[in-house]
Amino acid sequence: MLRLIHYPFCPFSRSIRLALAECGQVVELEEERPWAWRHEFLQLNPAGTLPVLIERGGFVLAGAYAISEYLGDTQTASASAGEGARLFPGTNVDRAEVRRLVDWFHNKFDQEAGRYLLEEKLYQRVTNLGRNTPDTDLIRAGRANLRYHLSYVEHLVGARAWLAGDAPSFADFAAGGHLSVLDYLGEVPWPEFPKAKAWYVRLKARPSFRSLLADRLPGLPPPKVYAELDF
């Protein structure tokens, strides 16, 4: 069985959990705290980042990019049966657009919005970042930048069925991984972005999303609408 080393509220890990489910892969989840920097984990991935996928036979794939590309290259089961999405569908041009948007969310969105809110509102509760209280300036910046990114999602799905085109792809799952964490924290102003909300409602309704909606952090419950499919 495949083994995925992840943290439930790591957006990169969540994107790969969605991808694995869309590929019809049964996977054993092993939790790793990304701030712990355990020696045993660093032996698997010296970069110290999540997620890490351990294939049958012990082959190790580290990082969301490597794992998603590997799954895209080897995907046969669920999507070919009409049950899941192709991670990188379409022509070479179509796939390039998927990769562009994956890079947008895994880099630009993470650095400008997600990381601020995740670290200040969640990681502060479970680890020592050197401060006793969250930095309100960083939270304010994250919220402002989040609205910029949501306006871009609004633009994309105003012209397309899904983020990268007519079919769901890993671009949607990368975006969903990041936005679902912020949604758990109650930070996504969905009413201000109705087209983005409609896209997210469709994404949440996919069977691959069920395990994410079941995640809970002790002492920090999500808003009621987090697990509601039509909110």
Side-chain angles (χ1 to χ4, degrees):
M1 179 182 293
L2 295 171
R3 181 158 59 103
L4 183 71
I5 302 175
H6 79 125
Y7 181 64
F9 296 94
C10 163
F12 301 92
S13 298
R14 284 184 161 218
S15 72
I16 294 301
R17 288 168 62 190
L18 290 172
L20 286 163
E22 292 285 341
C23 291
Q25 295 285 356
V26 178
V27 62
E28 176 186 354
L29 297 177
E30 178 181 322
E31 185 172 329
E32 178 73 27
R33 297 183 176 185
W35 57 86
W37 285 78
R38 293 188 312 111
H39 176 70
E40 294 81 2
F41 177 65
L42 292 174
Q43 288 184 310
L44 289 174
N45 181 16
T49 56
L50 292 170
V52 171
L53 183 69
I54 302 178
E55 262 277 18
R56 302 169 185 88
F59 178 56
V60 176
L61 286 156
Y65 279 113
I67 297 171
S68 64
E69 292 287 343
Y70 176 78
L71 292 175
D73 287 343
T74 59
Q75 180 184 35
T76 57
S78 186
S80 62
E83 299 168 0
R86 299 296 304 183
L87 299 185
F88 300 93
T91 65
N92 290 342
V93 172
D94 296 331
R95 293 193 292 273
E97 176 65 357
V98 173
R99 292 181 172 97
R100 181 186 74 83
L101 291 172
V102 170
D103 183 68
W104 178 286
F105 285 98
H106 277 345
N107 281 297
K108 187 174 178 65
F109 181 97
D110 176 62
Q111 293 170 8
E112 295 178 352
R115 190 176 304 180
Y116 290 152
L117 296 168
L118 182 61
E119 289 185 353
E120 297 305 316
K121 296 200 67 178
L122 196 155
Y123 288 177
Q124 276 273 79
R125 298 174 64 96
V126 293
T127 187
N128 179 18
L129 293 179
R131 300 188 304 275
N132 294 326
T133 59
D135 188 320
T136 56
D137 288 337
L138 292 180
I139 291 175
R140 192 177 301 111
R143 287 171 175 167
N145 292 340
L146 174 58
R147 282 176 165 82
Y148 164 76
H149 285 278
L150 285 170
S151 69
Y152 187 51
V153 173
E154 190 91 346
H155 164 73
L156 290 171
V157 296
R160 304 168 173 177
W162 296 89
L163 290 183
D166 292 333
S169 69
F170 190 60
D172 299 281
F173 308 136
H178 288 271
L179 284 166
S180 63
V181 172
L182 300 187
D183 196 39
Y184 186 98
L185 298 175
E187 285 291 339
V188 186
W190 293 118
E192 299 177 26
F193 302 93
K195 294 176 184 177
K197 178 182 176 180
W199 159 80
Y200 190 67
V201 166
R202 288 188 291 124
L203 187 63
K204 279 178 74 173
R206 297 182 71 83
S208 59
F209 226 88
R210 291 171 187 165
S211 69
L212 272 61
L213 298 179
D215 287 339
R216 293 295 182 273
L217 188 70
L220 186 62
K224 182 181 178 182
V225 297
Y226 172 73
E228 293 182 357
L229 298 183
D230 188 8
F231 60 100

